Amino acid sequence: MGKMLSNTRTYRVPPLIKQDRDRRFAAEGNPFEAMMSRFDEAATRLNLEPGLYKVLRAPEKQIIVSVPIARDNGEIEVFTGFRVLHNTSRGPAKGGIRFDMAVSLDEVKALAAWMTWKCAVVNLPFGGAKGGVICDPALMSDRELEKVTRRYTSAIIDTLGPESDVPAPDVNTNERVMAWIMDTYSMHKRHTVTGVVTGKPIAMGGSLGRKDATGRGCLVVTLAALAKKKMKVKGATVAVQGFGNVGSTAARLMSEAGMTIVAVSDKSGGVYNPKGLDIKDCLKWTGEKKFLDAYPKGKHITNEELLELKCDVLVPAALENVITSQNADNIKARIICEGANGPTTAQADAILDKKGVYVIPDILANAGGVTVSYFEWVQDRGGYFWDEKTVNERLEKIMKDSFAEVAAMSDEHDVSMRIGAYMLAISRVAAMHRMRGLYA
Ligand code: NAD
């Protein structure tokens, strides 16, 4: 017993990572507060009944679990994991799982609520959830990562299921992690259940088109915004923060659509070329060298400078809280397409509104990913798989229709696209609650 105890320790967030997170959130609120301030404004404008207001603010279920594993050196480590189901009135809870040192219950709660609103904005029959484990996969072996994934899955297994709660990849999780979750769940159920997660490998019931879906959705809504603002597509200048799945796909598809990508960045910094960057070449570079900091064909800029560049479209596709009251006034883009979740604080929203910047809010702009996750779930349940052209056409239709519905709501109530999107989402979820009534 003594040996066992001396071998056990609880993983804590390292002070530097905690400091960085606290610094970003301290000034203008953590993501949960940011989400709630928009919810409150939209709910007030909708004259939401006080009882329903209380129901929709409260997450349905918050699970905190310990995830003990034996590391490769024999030492036992105990990680902390979360799964929050915000609202399941419209269907199974849907939302990613992130493995990151900055994960916290507040963050997971905000992201779960965002998923409820996002699924409702694009009218999917899903509710919202999110999960996370406080850990750094970069500091773990493959075997350790697999153990964390399987132990976390078994700890939250009572909530999971194709009819109840369907995870997907998020920060630092990928199709391999989804395969482990699917296998662990299937082993417990004694039969294969592919529909319990989305974002799986194609050969395992994943959907064609899922990888590009979020970036493709960003392209569709940006084209719609350019048309609404009567701006030309060809030659429209674009700056993209984040060159991962969302940012690099959005940059590639936007350049293929004729736009000029003047800057891209990742966590190592950014590159700027007013004449336009060759995105395929940037992708080749990051494929080989990983980061953009030594990319030779452009001027090197910081992530902060990228946000303030003169351009037509800005795509923040990396982190939360990067556009704040500190820099919102310096933003020169006419359109912001929020590829990331929560890149703009509520305080910054007010400044951007006043400046007339057209913000396509996250819950609409990056909903392409969950839309194709929905297609994957539908295909798994039907056991019949679509070709990529069909997936992309159906995605495009949903994104275009949803943009038009949000724009109509924001025009009708004379509010920003963000508040319009929240109003549309809340009205759909509230309508379901009114029809279902209160079980008690
Ligand atoms: P990713 O891990 O593939 O890429 C993240 C990118 O951001 C990387 O290029 C990384 O270097 C960069 N980055 C990290 N820290 C940074 C910093 N401090 N400054 C600037 N850049 C930094 O992640 P992703 O899947 O592209 O997700 C990005 C954002 O989009 C997240 O907010 C995520 O929640 C959101 N999102 C993703 C999807 C999806 O389908 N992948 C769907 C909806 C929303």
Side-chain angles (χ1 to χ4, degrees):
M1 187 66 186
K3 182 166 185 285
M4 182 80 179
L5 281 179
S6 68
N7 235 359
T8 307
R9 66 191 164 103
T10 299
Y11 218 59
R12 295 201 195 288
V13 181
L16 275 180
I17 292 183
K18 192 169 175 317
Q19 260 170 31
D20 173 58
R21 182 184 67 198
D22 292 350
R23 183 182 53 74
R24 272 194 295 122
F25 295 158
E28 309 199 355
N30 66 28
F32 189 70
E33 289 158 1
M35 189 276 300
M36 274 307 166
S37 69
R38 276 72 171 252
F39 171 85
D40 284 352
E41 181 176 347
T44 307
R45 286 183 183 272
L46 284 169
N47 277 326
L48 196 68
E49 307 89 300
L52 208 40
Y53 172 83
K54 283 193 238 168
V55 171
L56 296 188
R57 276 182 73 97
E60 278 176 18
K61 194 181 281 185
Q62 304 177 51
I63 306 168
I64 304 177
V65 294
S66 289
V67 183
I69 66 153
R71 295 206 79 143
D72 293 344
N73 64 5
E75 190 178 334
I76 290 168
E77 191 112 61
V78 183
F79 298 92
T80 303
F82 308 95
R83 184 78 183 162
V84 173
L85 273 57
H86 172 257
N87 187 289
T88 59
S89 60
R90 288 169 50 88
K94 189 86 196 75
I97 288 172
R98 58 173 64 174
F99 286 174
D100 195 72
M101 293 308 299
V103 164
S104 67
L105 182 60
D106 247 355
E107 183 185 63
V108 177
K109 272 164 62 182
L111 292 163
W114 263 320
M115 287 305 297
T116 302
W117 311 132
K118 196 182 296 185
C119 291
V121 165
V122 284
N123 215 359
L124 307 179
F126 282 143
K130 205 78 180 188
V133 178
I134 305 173
C135 67
D136 183 353
L139 302 179
M140 286 191 256
S141 69
D142 285 359
R143 175 110 192 85
E144 290 170 343
L145 188 63
E146 180 175 351
K147 283 183 181 178
V148 167
T149 305
R150 288 187 184 275
R151 186 64 195 243
Y152 168 69
T153 304
S154 80
I156 61 164
I157 205 150
D158 290 339
T159 165
L160 300 181
E163 306 291 344
S164 53
D165 182 13
V166 187
D170 196 71
V171 178
N172 292 331
T173 58
N174 54 21
E175 59 177 34
R176 190 172 57 154
V177 172
M178 295 307 114
W180 289 328
I181 295 177
M182 183 282 224
D183 182 68
T184 308
Y185 182 83
S186 299
M187 285 295 146
H188 279 255
K189 294 291 161 190
R190 320 304 287 171
H191 63 276
T192 297
V193 188
T194 52
V196 67
V197 284
T198 60
K200 299 179 291 293
I202 303 286
M204 214 178 161
S207 178
L208 293 169
R210 172 63 185 89
K211 211 171 136 282
D212 284 357
T214 308
R216 186 174 296 281
C218 289
L219 168 71
V220 175
V221 293
T222 299
L223 291 176
L226 286 167
K228 193 163 167 70
K229 294 272 126 193
K230 301 193 170 34
M231 290 162 70
K232 280 206 192 97
V233 176
K234 197 161 167 34
T237 50
V238 185
V240 182
Q241 182 185 58
F243 205 60
N245 178 286
V246 180
S248 74
T249 307
R252 176 170 53 80
L253 295 176
M254 286 179 186
S255 86
E256 283 170 14
M259 297 182 220
T260 303
I261 315 301
V262 293
V264 292
S265 71
D266 59 24
K267 64 175 152 198
S268 74
V271 274
Y272 171 57
N273 184 341
K275 294 207 176 80
L277 295 160
D278 177 345
I279 296 304
K280 285 206 173 116
D281 192 57
C282 296
L283 279 164
K284 190 163 169 277
W285 177 271
T286 49
E288 286 162 10
K289 315 258 190 248
K290 217 168 165 193
F291 292 114
L292 288 162
D293 53 354
Y295 183 70
K297 299 175 193 167
K299 180 178 175 248
H300 286 272
I301 54 172
T302 63
N303 266 291
E304 291 72 29
E305 286 167 337
L306 180 139
L307 296 170
E308 299 179 10
L309 284 176
K310 188 167 178 308
C311 60
D312 295 313
V313 181
L314 173 64
V315 185
L319 297 174
E320 298 111 352
N321 281 23
V322 290
I323 303 174
T324 66
S325 62
Q326 301 300 305
N327 61 359
D329 210 26
N330 303 331
I331 302 263
K332 295 169 196 76
R334 292 179 59 193
I335 294 172
I336 297 179
C337 172
E338 295 186 332
N341 286 313
T344 310
T345 66
Q347 289 88 332
D349 263 353
I351 300 169
L352 295 173
D353 254 5
K354 213 187 261 170
K355 280 167 63 89
V357 180
Y358 193 77
V359 180
I360 313 169
D362 46 9
I363 57 174
L364 169 65
N366 68 37
V370 73
T371 301
V372 176
S373 275
Y374 163 61
F375 294 162
E376 180 175 334
W377 177 81
V378 169
Q379 292 170 80
D380 287 340
R381 284 157 56 103
Y384 180 72
F385 293 86
W386 316 341
D387 61 28
E388 191 161 352
K389 187 164 167 282
T390 305
V391 171
N392 290 344
E393 282 168 3
R394 289 178 176 173
L395 168 65
E396 191 177 330
K397 175 165 174 23
I398 288 185
M399 294 304 295
K400 267 190 184 162
D401 291 353
S402 304
F403 181 93
E405 285 175 310
V406 171
M409 182 66 98
S410 89
D411 289 346
E412 186 190 332
H413 293 269
D414 194 21
V415 292
S416 66
M417 284 288 277
R418 184 176 323 275
I419 297 304
Y422 272 81
M423 288 174 74
L424 181 64
I426 293 168
S427 62
R428 284 183 174 151
V429 179
M432 184 60 109
H433 276 268
R434 286 189 204 105
M435 285 185 275
R436 290 180 60 155
L438 195 60
Y439 175 78

